[in-house]
Amino acid sequence: MVPIDDSEITRAPDWVRCEHCAALIYGKRFRRALRVCPDCGWPARLTAHQRLDHLLDPASASPIPQVEALHDPLDFADTRPYADRLADARATTGLREAVVCVQGRIEDRPVVVATMDFQFLGGSLGCGVGALITEAAHTSLRHRIPLLLITASGGARMQEGVLSLMQMAKTVQALAELDEAGILTLSLVTDPTYGGVAASFATLADVILAEPGARLGFAGPRVIEQTTGKRLPDDFQTAEFLLEHGMVDDVVPRSALRATLGRLLALGSAEPPSPANTGPGPPSGTLHHPEELPERDPWETVRLARHPGRPTILDYADHLLDDFHELHGDRLAGDCSAIVGGPGLRCGRPVMLIGHHKGGPGLAERQRHHFGMATPAGYRKAARLMRMAAKLRLPVVTLIDTPGANPGPESEQSGQAVAIAENLRLMSRLPVPIVAVLIGEGGSGGALALAVADRVLVSANGMYSVISPEGCAAILWKEPEAAPTAAAALRLDARELLRLGIVDGVIPEPPGGAHSDHTAAAALIGAALDATLDELVPWDSPRLLRERRSRFHHFGVDTDLPLGTGIGTGRGAP
């Protein structure tokens, strides 16, 4: 957005031209819309104080004391002395430096905010900015409240030489201290964010949000094109491009930022997790003994587990969680749509929900989600969210529904086996409670990659197998028609899984199956989760790790413990 005349912006009426679509906008309407073009949705740049006025609760901001940094350490001059440029920037913006740091509240949640101002020497990172970002992080650490970083920068401040480069390491160290202390960090990327800021604190937060169209990168597109001689895509380095390529968690319109940040800040300001039920609650209904379940045709189990109308993870998130916010990307290369995850509140308790997503009704939708078969980017996204849960001490709930890992050549080239193995190792040592629920298909290593848990439950019509019945029939019987026979031999239904100790409990489904009544199915799973989390949350990390290790250690080992005890002895079937 560029005003027709900067001097007229302070007067009313005035007119503003959108730099994105060239529309003329009446000034008062423009300001009411938070300086967003009502025609195309393009957000204009905000000053640091405009940003704080928009996001913070009224009268909640208190400045963080200014930290004195070196002034013109190199006695630098180009066409003008740096000292003169600095003085002009201060006079023009009314700011001491290119960042403003305050302590305040968003949606009544405490937060420390450091917001950059591009009008101050292009938001460049110098000694003053580095000192203030570090002081904001230390304030967050002292008060144990979340830190929000709002970035807008052209890169490191050249006039301060290599000292400006050192601010990258300095600010990263400050964020690392918050990681070690388990304090939530959020980043809001605004246009533009480049260079040293992009390669340090802007991209290290637990959650990275971006405004629509915001550009983020280390080198600018013009430099890249000149260096490589290649034409870049028109949307290269934009927020939408970054979301597609797994670098940011979400692109959020300016009008929705306050509410979105408020929900996320609840994760960092909530009390330590405690049992959701303060008194005796309704029984979970979970079945723990094989004899409580009827014998059934295993092929009918396969048919029901694959029913296209069964609730998806997003259906369950809608029914089970308040303020669920889906996060995206593995922060490496992609965002797999077959894995969905994000934080939310279950009966007031923050949890991290992660699971497979087969997609909604219709072939095209299921193809878009790879039929729930995750790529390496999906498992790496899950791992990132689990590490975030461990940092914030959030229980992890996984919902499993997949035929298996994605079998495509691209997945193999991207390290499918390594991604699954890394998840198995990570979950084995994650210091927070993990509850896994097989809500449909549990196929092979693709399912196990989300199922190394303290408690593994299965829906009554769910299944869990080393291979699909069709695959087993083709390999061992040499004919796909033998799939029902293979299903029976694989003992993949809920009753057999409980008898073998693979699962700890079976969650009933509504009459006819989960597909017949999503609300009732979610209520049954919710009750089972509440009871299980109430059991596990009070355990300390050493106990969780000890018992999780013991649970999986016993699989396949002949012991004196009977089958069907729900503790995962894993002895073979007679």
Side-chain angles (χ1 to χ4, degrees):
M1 266 326 151
V2 289
I4 292 175
D5 183 347
D6 284 342
S7 65
E8 293 179 1
I9 253 319
T10 58
R11 299 199 303 269
D14 58 18
W15 292 86
V16 176
R17 187 183 302 279
C18 175
E19 69 175 14
H20 189 66
C21 70
L24 284 175
I25 311 157
Y26 187 56
K28 288 185 177 179
R29 183 186 183 196
F30 178 53
R31 287 188 286 272
R32 283 197 302 269
L34 303 173
R35 295 175 60 85
V36 175
C37 176
D39 290 344
C40 72
W42 188 262
R45 289 175 188 158
L46 297 180
T47 67
H49 286 296
Q50 286 171 336
R51 185 74 66 178
L52 293 173
D53 288 343
H54 166 221
L55 292 178
L56 292 180
D57 296 350
S60 70
S62 58
I64 290 175
Q66 187 74 33
V67 179
E68 288 302 322
L70 291 175
H71 177 82
D72 195 11
L74 306 185
D75 194 21
F76 190 94
D78 42 60
T79 58
R80 293 181 63 201
Y82 171 49
D84 291 350
R85 292 187 184 276
L86 198 58
D88 284 351
R90 288 171 176 170
T92 302
T93 64
L95 303 179
R96 178 73 180 169
E97 255 300 345
V99 64
V100 176
C101 301
V102 302
Q103 190 172 338
R105 304 182 78 84
I106 297 176
E107 300 274 302
D108 205 31
R109 303 285 185 181
V111 63
V112 173
V113 183
T115 180
M116 303 188 74
D117 196 317
F118 194 78
Q119 291 186 359
F120 193 108
L121 296 180
S124 50
L125 174 61
C127 296
V129 171
L132 284 167
I133 294 289
T134 301
E135 182 60 25
H138 289 167
T139 302
S140 178
L141 183 61
R142 283 195 302 272
H143 296 280
R144 300 199 63 82
I145 58 177
L147 173 66
L148 168 62
L149 301 160
I150 304 173
T151 62
S153 176
R157 192 169 298 176
M158 293 176 287
Q159 295 92 337
E160 296 185 12
V162 75
L163 285 170
S164 66
L165 189 68
M166 295 302 105
Q167 306 311 305
M168 295 171 62
K170 178 178 180 175
T171 54
V172 165
Q173 286 179 342
L175 262 66
E177 291 182 72
L178 297 182
D179 288 339
E180 293 166 2
I183 295 171
L184 176 68
T185 55
L186 306 173
S187 176
L188 172 59
V189 175
T190 74
D191 187 63
T193 297
Y194 279 110
V197 171
S200 58
F201 56 88
T203 50
L204 287 183
D206 298 310
V207 179
I208 303 176
L209 306 178
E211 285 196 318
R215 294 164 294 168
L216 169 75
F218 187 58
R222 183 168 53 188
V223 172
I224 296 172
E225 287 187 336
Q226 289 175 349
T227 303
T228 64
K230 295 181 179 179
R231 170 72 179 167
L232 298 174
D234 290 339
D235 66 344
F236 186 71
Q237 294 182 329
T238 64
E240 295 74 16
F241 180 93
L242 296 166
L243 180 65
E244 180 184 350
H245 289 82
M247 301 300 175
V248 301
D249 285 291
D250 208 354
V251 178
V252 183
R254 189 169 289 170
S255 59
L257 276 173
R258 256 181 64 83
T260 300
L261 290 169
R263 288 194 302 271
L264 292 169
L265 288 171
L267 301 174
S269 55
E271 293 298 318
S274 59
N277 300 319
T278 55
S284 70
T286 305
L287 306 176
H288 298 282
H289 302 286
E291 59 271 16
E292 297 177 289
L293 293 160
E295 293 190 34
R296 59 191 304 178
D297 177 12
W299 189 245
E300 177 67 6
T301 292
V302 174
R303 188 185 70 82
L304 288 172
R306 293 173 174 173
H307 195 288
R310 288 183 75 83
T312 68
I313 181 174
L314 290 180
D315 294 322
Y316 282 122
D318 186 54
H319 283 92
L320 295 175
L321 299 182
D322 294 322
D323 295 337
F324 173 72
H325 191 99
E326 184 180 354
L327 304 179
H328 295 270
D330 64 355
R331 300 273 176 90
L332 289 174
D335 179 49
C336 174
S337 58
I339 294 285
V340 166
L345 300 176
R346 172 64 189 170
C347 299
R349 172 164 42 207
V351 300
M352 184 67 75
L353 179 68
I354 305 168
H356 300 92
H357 186 36
K358 287 183 173 179
L363 178 61
E365 178 70 5
R366 292 198 157 220
Q367 287 175 330
R368 189 170 74 85
H369 291 275
H370 313 301
F371 299 94
M373 295 183 288
T375 64
Y379 291 117
R380 289 172 182 140
K381 172 169 65 174
R384 179 175 76 83
L385 297 183
M386 284 188 274
R387 286 191 290 268
M388 176 179 164
K391 170 186 168 177
L392 300 177
R393 306 299 299 169
L394 306 183
V396 173
V397 174
T398 65
L399 301 183
I400 297 161
D401 187 11
T402 181
N406 192 288
E410 297 86 359
S411 292
E412 291 300 315
Q413 292 168 6
S414 299
Q416 185 76 289
V418 175
I420 291 173
E422 292 282 2
N423 270 28
L424 301 183
R425 178 169 62 180
L426 173 65
M427 296 185 80
S428 295
R429 302 301 300 163
L430 207 69
V432 294
I434 309 173
V435 182
V437 184
L438 294 145
I439 60 172
E441 283 189 275
S444 191
L448 182 62
L450 296 185
V452 180
D454 302 294
R455 293 289 180 267
V456 179
L457 309 175
V458 62
S459 294
N461 293 318
M463 58 179 276
Y464 201 4
S465 178
V466 66
I467 191 173
S468 70
E470 294 88 345
C472 181
I475 294 171
L476 298 182
W477 276 264
K478 310 300 183 186
E479 52 185 39
E481 296 78 12
T485 303
L490 288 167
R491 310 291 180 96
L492 47 67
D493 61 281
R495 188 176 192 272
E496 287 297 304
L497 294 171
L498 187 58
R499 188 182 69 83
L500 291 167
I502 298 296
V503 301
D504 302 290
V506 177
I507 303 172
E509 294 189 22
H515 59 278
S516 67
D517 190 336
H518 289 195
T519 301
L524 290 162
I525 285 183
L529 287 176
D530 291 340
T532 307
L533 289 172
D534 284 350
E535 174 199 5
L536 294 174
V537 163
W539 292 9
D540 60 19
S541 294
R543 181 180 178 185
L544 285 168
L545 298 179
R546 183 174 62 250
E547 300 215 12
R548 193 182 307 153
R549 182 173 58 246
S550 177
R551 182 186 196 280
F552 285 87
H553 177 76
H554 283 100
F555 286 131
V557 176
D558 193 2
T559 72
D560 294 329
L561 294 172
L563 291 168
T565 58
I567 58 172
T569 56
R571 296 199 314 184

